[in-house]
Amino acid sequence: MSRRPGPLYAIGGHEDKDRDRQILRAISDELGSGPLIIATVASHEPEGYFEAYRDAFAALGRQNLVEVYFRDRSEAHLAEHAALVDTASGIFFSGGDQARLVDMLRGTPFAAALGALHRRGGLIAGTSAGASAQGEQMLVAGSGEETHRIGDIEMAPGLGLIDKVIIDQHFAERGRIGRLLGAVAACPDFLGIGIDEDSAIRIESGVATAIGSGGVTIVDAARASRSNAQEAARGTVLSLHGVTLHALGAGDRFDLGARQPVGA
């Protein structure tokens, strides 16, 4: 009997590691008995990341953690690293630079092992850059806290764990609604998901559930009545009409395929 894919956690960054640890607790509670890999690959300077998560998960009773970090892409081709994923119950990607994370992993045996882990029911989580990298497309640059102007964002393929989704993080705290609107204007068949700090979505069977102390914003431009994203000159203010916006709080559920909330 085939297993269904495991849960995915996309966290907006700065999740609580010292008090209630709501998001980390939810992750810990779902893990099996195998190791949890803390992948610090997104960081150019990974020192301290693993220790912070080791201590946070130890407070939740989980001791079996191991760090994976790659100085260069060749290390993602080593059989020993793919074999480690084969024995793991889950993997947690810490923050940093999502472009570095994807450049290191995409198309490597480690990425293939990651996909196999997900398909056999293993848990995959990522915070900040580790959240953005999970989408089919990802934002890698763009101004926040201002109205979007054409040409101001840069996107690249992500790891493709979540189809037709672009994830942005530190969302409310850094005023990133403008750049997420720019992203969905450029890719209207994609949902834009903005996740606040100490907040997350848990995705299983195509349904996202909001967790944490902040909010999750979902932007859908598929039925927009007007967009100048393709024709306007660079630097022009974005014009985008008829966008659908959903604001999710803890416990709210959203069907990503149907593009609508689940339940009341």
Side-chain angles (χ1 to χ4, degrees):
M1 184 176 181
S2 62
R3 299 181 185 179
R4 66 181 183 184
L8 300 166
Y9 281 80
I11 308 167
H14 290 173
E15 66 282 356
D16 173 20
K17 301 180 186 67
D18 304 309
R19 299 180 299 279
D20 294 337
R21 305 178 181 90
Q22 182 182 2
I23 296 169
L24 299 184
R25 185 183 303 278
I27 291 170
S28 180
D29 287 348
E30 289 205 71
L31 288 168
S33 58
L36 172 63
I37 297 171
I38 304 296
T40 56
V41 181
S43 177
H44 295 276
E45 299 292 339
E47 288 75 15
Y49 279 89
F50 175 72
E51 291 76 13
Y53 286 106
R54 180 194 61 197
D55 294 347
F57 279 106
L60 297 170
R62 184 161 294 275
Q63 304 287 340
N64 194 5
L65 273 68
V66 60
E67 182 179 15
V68 167
Y69 182 73
F70 302 143
R71 295 288 174 185
D72 59 59
R73 183 176 160 85
S74 65
E75 295 182 66
H77 287 267
L78 295 178
E80 64 197 70
H81 289 134
L84 179 60
V85 179
D86 292 341
T87 67
S89 289
I91 185 166
F92 187 106
F93 289 99
S94 62
D97 178 353
Q98 55 263 40
R100 184 185 198 277
L101 193 162
V102 173
D103 284 348
M104 286 286 178
L105 299 188
R106 191 175 175 88
T108 67
F110 189 89
L114 179 68
L117 170 66
H118 180 225
R119 290 190 296 275
R120 71 171 183 267
L123 181 150
I124 298 174
T127 185
S128 190
S132 288
Q134 293 183 47
E136 187 176 345
Q137 287 284 318
M138 64 181 183
L139 279 157
V140 295
S143 301
E145 299 184 345
E146 59 189 57
T147 297
H148 178 71
R149 294 178 180 271
I150 306 300
D152 187 52
I153 59 171
E154 180 182 348
M155 289 193 291
L159 293 175
L161 295 169
I162 313 170
D163 294 335
K164 297 297 182 181
V165 156
I166 301 166
I167 296 173
D168 209 353
Q169 11 81 5
H170 304 283
F171 191 67
E173 292 77 9
R174 300 186 184 178
R176 287 179 164 174
I177 183 65
R179 76 177 200 172
L180 191 60
L181 285 167
V184 297
C187 302
D189 55 332
F190 281 63
L191 284 173
I193 303 180
I195 309 173
D196 295 352
E197 293 176 0
D198 192 37
S199 308
I201 51 171
R202 176 193 181 276
I203 301 173
E204 188 170 25
S205 300
V207 175
T209 303
I211 306 171
S213 64
V216 175
T217 303
I218 298 182
V219 181
D220 182 358
R223 298 184 179 179
S225 58
R226 167 174 164 72
S227 172
N228 67 346
Q230 303 302 325
E231 75 227 19
R234 186 180 183 89
T236 302
V237 169
L238 174 67
S239 178
L240 185 63
H241 303 174
V243 176
T244 303
L245 185 146
H246 306 271
L248 278 57
D252 287 345
R253 302 170 70 221
F254 191 91
D255 187 320
L256 299 174
R259 292 179 173 240
Q260 63 185 22
V262 177

